[in-house]
Amino acid sequence: MAETYIDAIRRALFEEMERDPLVYLVGEEVGHYQGAYKVSEGMLERFGEKRVIDAPITESGFTGISIGAAMVGLRPIVEYMTWNFSAVAFDQILNNAAKVRQMSGGQFTCPIVFRGPNGAARQTGAQHSQCYASWYAHVPGLSVVLPSTAYDAKGLLKTAIRDDNPVIFMEGETLYGLTGEVPDDEYTIPLGQGRIAREGKDITLVAWSRMVHVCTDAAKVLAERGIEAEVVDPRTLRPLDTAIIVDSVRKTGRCVIVEVGWPQAGFGGEIAYQVQRQCLDALDAPVERVCSDDVPMPYAKNLEDEVQPQVKDVVAAVRRALYLD
């Protein structure tokens, strides 16, 4: 059935909370207000205040409490109104959730999901528009998930909730209204398993979250010019399905990596390293990267669009990789 990205996330939450009474949701406005983006609509009525918990504006506090709850057997889902607000909970996520299993010699696990919208929305300003994917993907002990479709959002979230380790689940804020086919039947998607979003033979485009759609739109433009681009969506950055990227690049001989994050220390740099290390003999051109401009996000709508990767930027990078410019 056709379902929006946000409805797919909501259905995954409902189904997992129905399946496992140890799962609960906590965050700002998740209960009586039903979520800042209405992801948790209807959940308070169905599961009650003990399992759908309205938290105060204290991300560090309710993150730490939830990590403790996970360590003693519960399975919390922590919602951040935006991943930008997770910055005040860095210590809890990086030094407690990510490390407790290793530091305790396996005596403790931490089955917890941190989820919420990531990246730019629409005119939310510089402090509410950052992509945190590469920041969290840097940390061992965390899985980092960025679904680009409604189908993936549901399947990956169900997998994340069942995982015995902490999962960073980053939803595309501008993808919430996107519609796609989502089966009624039960399904999950393994972490670390990418997908080919569009097949092609001339060049590989690697992207995640909203940039997958920018790349598929660019691929349509390129197809009109006789260039068949393959779009690879890794789905998760940690663990990373390096094999699917390498196989594609070995087929096409060229690679462009597209991300909405900033260029310096962006995750695209890690993928570029893996591609050159494993595909050097197959590459016919240097790896290209397309990122947001290296500036804080402007508020003005025209400037906000300009600093983020657009179809024209991807097309230009492909032309450079094919030595057409």
Side-chain angles (χ1 to χ4, degrees):
M1 62 178 288
E3 197 165 60
T4 65
Y5 188 102
I6 203 167
D7 287 339
I9 292 171
R10 183 185 303 114
R11 191 143 65 98
L13 293 172
F14 263 95
E15 290 178 7
E16 291 304 299
M17 290 182 71
E18 292 276 11
R19 185 188 63 83
D20 187 348
L22 297 177
V23 177
Y24 71 87
L25 176 68
V26 61
E28 295 154 353
E29 300 183 347
V30 299
H32 292 279
Y33 191 70
Q34 305 188 88
Y37 293 89
K38 305 308 179 196
V39 172
S40 53
E41 187 174 15
M43 295 185 70
L44 177 63
E45 181 180 5
R46 170 64 187 87
F47 298 106
E49 292 186 343
K50 288 188 177 181
R51 295 186 66 196
V52 181
I53 304 168
D54 278 323
I57 306 174
T58 54
E59 286 83 4
S60 182
F62 65 75
T63 297
I65 290 170
S66 297
I67 292 168
M71 290 170 62
V72 296
L74 296 180
R75 306 187 77 89
I77 303 167
V78 177
E79 176 177 308
Y80 298 119
M81 195 177 294
T82 162
W83 271 99
N84 295 273
F85 297 165
S86 76
V88 297
F90 264 13
D91 182 51
Q92 292 291 353
I93 298 171
L94 307 187
N95 283 324
N96 293 325
K99 297 181 173 68
V100 68
R101 187 166 193 166
Q102 189 261 359
M103 291 184 70
S104 69
Q107 295 180 78
F108 288 103
T109 58
C110 192
I112 188 169
V113 175
F114 305 102
R115 53 156 293 271
N118 176 62
R122 290 286 184 266
Q123 292 185 276
T124 54
Q127 295 172 321
H128 299 76
S129 300
Q130 295 155 132
C131 176
Y132 280 77
S134 63
W135 299 28
Y136 285 108
H138 184 63
V139 183
L142 300 176
S143 293
V144 180
V145 182
L146 294 106
S148 64
T149 67
Y151 176 88
D152 284 358
K154 183 184 179 188
L156 289 166
L157 182 53
K158 290 172 76 71
T159 301
I161 293 170
R162 299 179 191 187
D163 200 304
D164 286 335
N165 297 296
V167 178
I168 304 293
F169 195 89
M170 296 182 160
E171 300 152 13
E173 190 159 351
T174 55
L175 298 179
Y176 278 148
L178 181 74
T179 299
E181 288 298 317
V182 180
D184 287 327
D185 297 339
E186 167 75 7
Y187 73 95
T188 59
I189 300 171
L191 303 187
Q193 184 179 96
R195 71 183 182 98
I196 302 297
R198 179 190 173 101
E199 293 191 353
K201 60 181 177 59
D202 297 320
I203 193 165
T204 298
L205 307 180
V206 183
W208 48 94
S209 193
R210 184 171 66 86
M211 290 297 104
V212 174
H213 303 280
V214 171
C215 284
T216 53
D217 288 344
K220 293 174 185 176
V221 173
L222 292 164
E224 295 172 356
R225 305 174 187 179
I227 301 167
E228 292 298 328
E230 182 152 287
V231 181
V232 179
D233 176 3
R235 287 174 166 155
T236 65
L237 299 187
R238 183 187 276 268
L240 179 66
D241 188 353
T242 307
I244 196 172
I245 298 170
V246 167
D247 288 347
S248 177
V249 175
R250 285 197 165 277
K251 178 176 69 174
T252 66
R254 293 175 169 84
C255 182
V256 175
I257 303 160
V258 184
E259 62 180 312
V260 78
W262 293 308
Q264 184 161 320
F267 196 80
E270 170 63 22
I271 295 177
Y273 164 74
Q274 294 294 340
V275 168
Q276 67 84 21
R277 187 174 70 87
Q278 300 188 50
C279 304
L280 185 60
D281 59 328
L283 282 172
D284 295 320
V287 175
E288 292 279 347
R289 291 179 64 199
V290 180
C291 306
S292 290
D293 291 350
D294 199 20
V295 296
M297 182 67 71
Y299 178 77
K301 184 67 171 66
N302 62 319
L303 296 178
E304 184 181 57
D305 289 340
E306 185 62 29
V307 301
Q308 297 179 75
Q310 306 293 326
V311 168
K312 62 181 177 62
D313 303 314
V314 178
V315 170
V318 168
R319 290 183 60 85
R320 290 195 299 272
L322 291 170
Y323 298 121
L324 297 176
D325 287 333

